[in-house]
Amino acid sequence: MHLIVCTTYKNAYVTLTDTIKTPTEVATLLPAYVPIFSHELDQTNFLIIKKDQEPCVLTPTGGIIQKVWLTGALTTYDPGRQGGIIRIADPTGAVSFIVRPQALDSLEQGDLVPPLFLSITARPEKNTGTGDKNIRWIVETCRIATRQDRDVWIQAAARSLLERLREMQSGLLSGEGDERIRDAQNHYQIQPVHLKGFGELAEKALLVIKEPGPPVEPAELILSVIKEYSGPRGIHIDDIHKYTRRAALADDLVRDTIRQLIAEDEVYQPAPGYVKLL
């Protein structure tokens, strides 16, 4: 099977090298965030905890990962007092993450309404609560994304996966490989058929990518929101943000565009904080 992955992202992430022999050594040289498909992340249950170091995981394809990057569709959000649980799906499956208020940054809990693309980074920790998973994933950053962002992530995740598969396949064929490869093979009982399955999942994900559509025009989107959702007093700017964030428009850009629309007499302010079509 031959998978074609866009080479634009060739140097975007540090990869594990043959000179690294142990999981502990790998953990000290990890890239900041690694793109990984949810199917593999959901199967990962090998947690490495070492004193004075952040936890990391050993994945079924031999990757040692301290922090993950995932971009996909928000399918559910279950809010809680100390944080909520979001479930994000990509073309290979879905994974649940714990998201605390501080990870939302400029977002609000009310913004997390499916359907919505999210791009998150997360770290693993030992699951001391209920459930059959020994690892839970804690969101560190969270932002609304676009379909194009998701497609870029798919290509990065596919490339990262294929690099691990090549190294794992080499270890299986030669009977050698460094300690992390052997640990992954033994722990997850990896055989060549499993590597083929991971490759097919990457191919499936890449087939989802489509030609990018036209870029969102901020002024057009904002005018359409004002037209559709205005009441007798117009619409509050905070409410406009709720819709523009779903199109991944930055709040600063939206405020600047609204000021421009006011200057051009497209809209006016009938009351402080409100805008309305002229």
Side-chain angles (χ1 to χ4, degrees):
M1 178 185 304
H2 297 283
L3 303 183
I4 299 174
V5 181
C6 180
T7 57
T8 303
Y9 311 99
K10 179 176 181 180
N11 298 316
Y13 296 90
V14 179
T15 57
L16 306 178
T17 68
D18 292 335
T19 60
I20 297 174
K21 298 301 182 184
T22 69
T24 301
E25 290 172 330
V26 171
T28 64
L29 297 173
L30 290 172
Y33 297 101
V34 176
I36 181 171
F37 287 121
S38 61
H39 175 79
E40 183 174 5
L41 195 62
D42 189 53
Q43 292 188 6
T44 297
N45 59 16
F46 192 130
L47 182 65
I48 301 170
I49 300 178
K50 190 170 178 65
K51 186 178 179 181
D52 299 326
Q53 291 186 12
E54 292 188 19
C56 56
V57 298
L58 176 65
T59 74
T61 59
I64 291 189
I65 300 175
Q66 201 171 69
K67 298 175 187 290
V68 299
W69 166 39
L70 194 145
T71 302
L74 175 68
T75 60
T76 60
Y77 171 51
D78 183 17
R81 183 173 299 177
Q82 300 300 322
I85 298 176
I86 58 175
R87 190 161 179 83
I88 297 181
D90 65 29
T92 72
V95 179
S96 295
F97 299 85
I98 295 173
V99 57
R100 292 168 180 147
Q102 60 267 29
L104 294 178
D105 194 18
S106 62
L107 297 179
E108 300 175 359
Q109 291 187 0
D111 295 326
L112 301 180
V113 180
L116 182 71
F117 283 114
L118 286 180
S119 185
I120 68 165
T121 59
R123 57 178 173 81
E125 67 175 33
K126 184 177 181 180
N127 183 14
T128 57
T130 59
D132 58 352
K133 301 287 186 181
N134 69 321
I135 298 171
R136 62 182 184 180
W137 292 93
I138 309 300
V139 173
E140 293 190 333
T141 64
C142 177
R143 69 174 182 86
I144 294 175
T146 65
R147 182 178 297 274
Q148 288 73 31
D149 293 331
R150 191 280 311 269
D151 291 349
V152 168
W153 173 84
I154 286 176
Q155 294 177 80
R159 178 173 181 81
S160 180
L161 172 60
L162 292 178
E163 289 175 347
R164 296 194 301 275
L165 289 178
R166 292 188 189 103
E167 191 170 4
M168 178 71 80
Q169 183 181 40
S170 176
L172 285 175
L173 293 176
S174 67
E176 300 177 354
D178 62 30
E179 182 179 339
R180 66 184 171 80
I181 295 295
R182 294 194 299 272
D183 284 347
Q185 291 173 354
N186 294 332
H187 180 78
Y188 295 104
Q189 298 295 299
I190 296 296
Q191 300 296 324
V193 65
H194 300 125
L195 303 187
K196 180 181 179 182
F198 279 112
E200 289 173 345
L201 284 172
E203 185 175 38
K204 173 186 174 182
L206 289 167
L207 291 175
V208 172
I209 297 175
K210 300 179 180 179
E211 289 294 324
V216 175
E217 173 55 47
E220 291 181 6
L221 176 61
I222 291 169
L223 287 172
S224 68
V225 168
I226 295 172
K227 180 178 180 180
E228 184 171 354
Y229 298 104
S230 284
R233 298 177 64 191
I235 182 172
H236 198 279
I237 292 175
D238 288 344
D239 292 325
I240 294 176
H241 285 310
K242 293 179 181 179
Y243 297 101
T244 55
R245 286 171 185 161
R246 298 179 70 83
L249 291 184
D251 289 353
D252 288 344
L253 173 61
V254 171
R255 285 191 288 267
D256 289 343
T257 304
I258 290 173
R259 282 193 286 266
Q260 181 180 350
L261 290 172
I262 292 173
E264 294 173 353
D265 290 332
E266 295 283 351
V267 300
Y268 71 104
Q269 292 185 279
Y274 284 80
V275 293
K276 193 174 184 179
L277 293 176
L278 275 171

